[in-house]
Amino acid sequence: MDDRYDVVVVGGGAAGLAGAATLARARRTVLVVDAGEPRNAPADGVHNYLGREGTPPAQLMAVGRDEVTGYGGQIVDGRVTAVDRGGTDFVVTVDGGRTVRARRLLVTTGLTDELPEVPGVAERWGRDVLHCPYCHGWEVRDRRIGVLATGPLAAHHAQLWRQWSPHVLLLLHDAAAPDAEEQERLAARGITVVPGPVAALEVADDTLTGVRLASGETVALDAVVVAPRMTARAGLLDSLGLVPVDVEAAGHVVGRQIPADPTGATAVPGVWVAGNVADVFAQVIRAAGAGMLAGAAINGDLVGEDTRDAVTEHRRQREVMFTEAAWEERYQSRPAVWSGRPNPQLVAEAAELTPGRALDVGSGEGADAVWLAERGWTVSAVDISATALARAADHAKAAGGQVAERVEWTHADLLRWSPAEGAYDLVSAQFMHLPPQPRRELFARLADAVAPGGRLLIVGHHPQDLRTTAHRMHYPEMMYTAEQVAADLDPGRFEVLAAQTRPRAAVDPDGRDIVVHDAVLLARRR
Ligand SMILES: Cc1cc2nc3c(=O)[nH]c(=O)nc-3n(C[C@H](O)[C@H](O)[C@H](O)COP(=O)(O)OP(=O)(O)OC[C@H]3O[C@@H](n4cnc5c(N)ncnc54)[C@H](O)[C@@H]3O)c2cc1C
């Protein structure tokens, strides 16, 4: 069990496991806490579950658990004893006092069937005491079925069960006798009404044989049908202000469930419910479907939150990324940020040039400046980071010869710094990515710094790199093409020698071989 999950699912029945599988497949961290008492546990098989007809409930749950864990979801056996707010998270307490935090909650705790207090009913529940014809009707077709009246819908239930067997009795128990119209309907369907309270179920050899009436008379039966009151297991949600509401059928209250929208979202933001806790009539397949839908809705909600957080961070990054502090933090976080090799487009364009005075802006750890100095250039190298400049100076010293003397390192913020006009035979800006306006202003100052006959080399990551898996800052407005840079140059002052998109082999952060593109502008000052 980790400290925090995207989602904690309380209850690992059909709804909970389906929700957890959906979330795990959506690459969410998910924990299911399950007390292991699904409502249909006493039944031999799950019926009306397409594709898994008749599977024993425990087996279906075991398959579901494997599917959840197979996709990375976690399951712990235990009971959640409390859920509370903890800042923007939920704090979930599991029995034993362990706590775990969750960004979202999916509560799928099912319901409690409140059975009539007739001796034998609870003991035979789910075996030969039944409630749902769609779950068990086929299994008791043509058998002797007694519908134990526990409410005003008993006559209706008797008629329903008559669809599965011609041998249906309505055991009035404590209920009032049906009116004349109802009696006629029952008679027309061959359903006999048996008056008098039922004292107990009769069982022999672990099999129901009938019921004993308070009068002492016995009625032979193969199955007894009851209509339990179905109450959501939702006490946990009290602390969050969620309480169950009455559920009616044909104008009569048959249970209580937590209200939610069609996706399972409750009135409390961040809390979803699915399955019987939210829908007392749900069969297993519908509970699983509701869990799946809630899982998808939760993921969608988290995607929304992740996006809002990302926008905040994206804006913050844009605010700070050009500050000295941000660059210092970046350089100080690692012994080397760059490869130590000169940029390939500089090598391609400057290797054959006659050395003179060069300006290298955004010089970083100095690979370009050192490479130029090694070829005899006198280099002015400018960077915002003192740490980078110190490393660069060390590299220059390590290069030996006169390299260190040929480079002058300047600590300056290029957004505010202006080079001497007409002073350099080569001005190189490699991968300077700024917002459009300051970028144009900087490139104009760099153009002014080129001496007559000198070269301006501006290289950037081409915007189409954002379509690849290359590691790039996702600020499209800060990317540029060589043509855009060329368009800002005064053709009267500059002859464009190259305005190209050049492919370059690269390896992405996952180790894939990819092709990236450099925007390369080379111009000669007239
Ligand atoms: C006898 C019987 C037979 C049935 N037969 C069928 C059938 O054949 N076909 C069919 O489609 N439907 C059948 N049903 C209905 C079926 O049981 C429900 O549709 C289904 O169980 C609902 O799934 P659920 O996930 O909502 O709840 P459940 O399956 O009840 O799962 C809820 C889970 O949450 C756990 N839990 C509860 N509280 C906590 C807590 N605080 N902390 C941790 N865990 C908790 C429980 O232990 C349980 O494991 C039958 C029902 C009964 C009673």
Side-chain angles (χ1 to χ4, degrees):
M1 205 161 105
D2 300 331
D3 294 336
R4 186 171 188 253
Y5 294 83
D6 288 326
V7 185
V8 167
V9 180
V10 186
L17 291 176
T22 302
L23 287 158
R25 282 176 51 81
R27 313 186 75 178
R28 294 293 176 186
T29 56
V30 57
L31 172 73
V32 180
V33 184
D34 183 36
E37 295 159 356
R39 183 182 169 207
N40 57 350
D44 285 344
V46 177
H47 298 289
N48 273 335
Y49 195 106
L50 191 67
R52 292 275 175 184
E53 174 56 31
T55 308
Q59 190 179 322
L60 191 66
M61 292 303 98
V63 170
R65 281 180 166 225
D66 284 350
E67 288 175 4
V68 170
T69 54
Y71 287 109
Q74 296 178 22
I75 301 176
V76 297
D77 294 319
R79 186 175 298 279
V80 171
T81 53
V83 291
D84 295 291
R85 274 274 174 208
T88 55
D89 282 351
F90 296 96
V91 179
V92 177
T93 307
V94 184
D95 48 4
R98 287 175 299 169
T99 59
V100 62
R101 300 179 78 86
R103 296 171 68 192
R104 299 289 183 275
L105 274 187
L106 173 55
V107 177
T108 53
T109 42
L111 61 74
T112 302
D113 290 294
E114 293 168 12
L115 301 171
E117 289 182 1
V118 172
V121 164
E123 292 79 358
R124 307 300 307 171
W125 173 238
R127 299 163 71 193
D128 30 37
V129 174
L130 314 173
H131 72 300
C132 155
Y134 302 99
C135 308
H136 317 282
W138 176 266
E139 282 62 42
V140 294
R141 64 194 183 281
D142 297 329
R143 310 289 298 278
R144 297 167 298 176
I145 300 168
V147 175
L148 181 66
T150 50
L153 295 175
H156 165 75
H157 289 149
Q159 287 166 43
L160 191 61
W161 281 87
R162 173 65 183 78
Q163 170 62 20
W164 281 268
S165 173
H167 311 298
V168 175
L169 303 180
L170 174 57
L171 307 168
L172 272 189
H173 191 44
D174 295 332
D179 60 23
E181 209 178 323
E182 191 71 86
Q183 293 218 20
E184 186 183 22
R185 277 198 289 268
L186 293 168
R189 294 292 280 154
I191 299 169
T192 300
V193 177
V194 180
V198 173
L201 270 51
E202 295 278 287
V203 178
D205 295 333
D206 199 25
T207 303
L208 182 86
T209 57
V211 295
R212 181 161 38 82
L213 302 178
S215 63
E217 193 186 348
T218 58
V219 180
L221 291 168
D222 300 307
V224 167
V225 168
V226 298
R229 192 182 162 92
M230 300 173 286
T231 302
R233 283 191 201 122
L236 273 183
L237 294 172
D238 283 358
S239 58
L240 298 175
L242 285 173
V243 288
V245 295
D246 285 347
V247 183
E248 292 188 359
H252 300 284
V253 174
V254 294
R256 286 171 73 73
Q257 66 191 26
I258 296 290
D261 81 0
T263 71
T266 67
V268 174
V271 181
W272 270 256
V273 285
N276 279 160
V277 73
D279 175 4
V280 296
F281 300 116
Q283 301 293 97
V284 177
I285 202 162
R286 185 157 135 187
M292 187 271 152
L293 188 59
I298 291 170
N299 180 54
D301 192 49
L302 288 170
V303 165
E305 181 175 287
D306 293 345
T307 304
R308 286 190 296 280
D309 290 349
V311 167
T312 304
E313 177 58 15
H314 201 247
R315 288 179 183 163
R316 192 194 68 80
Q317 286 281 348
R318 190 189 274 122
E319 290 297 310
V320 303
M321 69 168 69
F322 305 112
T323 61
E324 183 173 355
W327 280 106
E328 274 306 322
E329 190 184 327
R330 185 170 181 193
Y331 279 110
Q332 287 174 15
S333 69
R334 283 191 271 170
V337 169
W338 310 111
S339 68
R341 294 187 297 277
N343 279 300
Q345 306 303 346
L346 174 70
V347 172
E349 297 304 335
E352 303 301 325
L353 295 180
T354 305
R357 294 152 301 161
L359 172 63
D360 175 24
V361 293
S363 53
E365 288 156 338
D368 285 1
V370 169
W371 181 83
L372 286 164
E374 283 172 337
R375 265 144 201 82
W377 290 81
T378 302
V379 185
S380 282
V382 185
D383 203 279
I384 196 170
S385 163
T387 301
L389 288 166
R391 281 181 200 164
D394 286 347
H395 291 152
K397 275 191 211 119
Q402 294 181 307
V403 170
E405 289 105 83
R406 288 204 193 109
V407 188
E408 180 195 25
W409 305 102
T410 302
H411 182 206
D413 180 351
L414 289 167
L415 291 173
R416 291 174 192 84
W417 179 83
S418 292
E421 290 191 14
Y424 300 97
D425 303 303
L426 173 65
V427 173
S428 169
Q430 302 282 326
F431 305 109
M432 296 293 306
H433 290 278
L434 300 169
Q437 189 55 27
R439 181 180 73 226
R440 278 199 203 96
E441 290 167 7
L442 172 65
F443 288 177
R445 292 197 296 276
L446 297 182
D448 288 344
V450 180
R455 311 275 163 125
L456 174 66
L457 176 62
I458 293 179
V459 179
H461 296 299
H462 193 277
Q464 78 185 47
D465 278 6
L466 292 179
R467 301 176 195 171
T468 73
T469 48
H471 175 68
R472 295 282 178 265
M473 297 186 313
H474 275 256
Y475 292 92
E477 75 280 10
M478 296 191 203
M479 314 284 277
Y480 48 87
T481 64
E483 290 79 1
Q484 287 168 333
V485 179
D488 287 341
L489 291 177
D490 175 0
R493 293 171 70 213
F494 279 92
E495 176 194 359
V496 174
L497 303 177
Q500 294 170 343
T501 301
R502 293 186 187 165
R504 180 160 55 84
V507 177
D508 77 5
D510 294 330
R512 271 187 216 98
D513 290 325
I514 58 168
V515 175
V516 295
H517 289 85
D518 293 333
V520 182
L521 178 281
L522 180 67
R524 191 176 62 81
R525 175 91 185 258
R526 295 184 197 277

